[in-house]
Amino acid sequence: MYVDPLHIQVCDQHAYCNAVQEEVDGKPWFYDIKEYLKMGIYSEQATRDQKRALRRLSNGFFLSRGVLYRRTPYLGLLRCIDADQATTIMAEVHAGVCGPHMSGYVLAKKIL
């Protein structure tokens, strides 16, 4: 799951890496980006500065068959997922479905 750089928080204490924040409004964190790429529309409440930020931010994303991906500097694509999908993936990782490729902590950080 891609973490929005505008919402990064620095904490003094360690946190559990498998904690996924729920969506307050019922929409995934990437909803505005996906709608902008799909139909070229902004949120009704968006200010001029927010519209400009959305245009710039959307350059780093790619929409394919209704699935949103984030481009990486190494020409890879990271699939954007919502909180429910992230919780499911984290549960599968901790259950050992993915195998012992790396430590659980490192794998969980990569997922998030």
Side-chain angles (χ1 to χ4, degrees):
M1 181 167 100
Y2 172 71
V3 178
D4 185 1
L6 301 175
H7 294 95
I8 293 176
Q9 297 176 354
V10 177
C11 300
D12 294 332
Q13 299 175 350
H14 295 287
Y16 292 102
C17 60
N18 63 345
V20 178
Q21 292 181 348
E22 294 296 321
E23 289 115 3
V24 179
D25 58 359
K27 297 177 184 174
W29 63 268
F30 55 86
Y31 178 79
D32 290 332
I33 298 169
K34 188 174 181 179
E35 289 300 307
Y36 177 74
L37 290 175
K38 188 174 13 175
M39 298 191 289
I41 60 173
Y42 302 101
S43 170
E44 292 178 11
Q45 304 88 358
T47 64
R48 193 179 105 229
D49 290 339
Q50 290 171 334
K51 290 178 182 180
R52 184 177 62 219
L54 182 60
R55 284 192 304 271
R56 286 184 179 178
L57 186 62
S58 66
N59 287 333
F61 291 85
F62 173 72
L63 189 62
S64 175
R65 297 181 186 172
V67 178
L68 186 66
Y69 297 91
R70 179 178 176 257
R71 293 183 178 105
T72 65
Y74 306 106
L75 302 177
L77 296 174
L78 300 175
R79 184 175 179 164
C80 300
I81 59 174
D82 61 20
D84 291 335
Q85 292 170 321
T87 302
T88 302
I89 291 170
M90 294 297 287
E92 289 177 359
V93 166
H94 287 292
V97 173
C98 299
H101 301 287
M102 58 188 75
S103 73
Y105 176 78
V106 173
L107 188 57
K109 292 297 279 182
K110 286 184 177 270
I111 291 169
L112 291 177

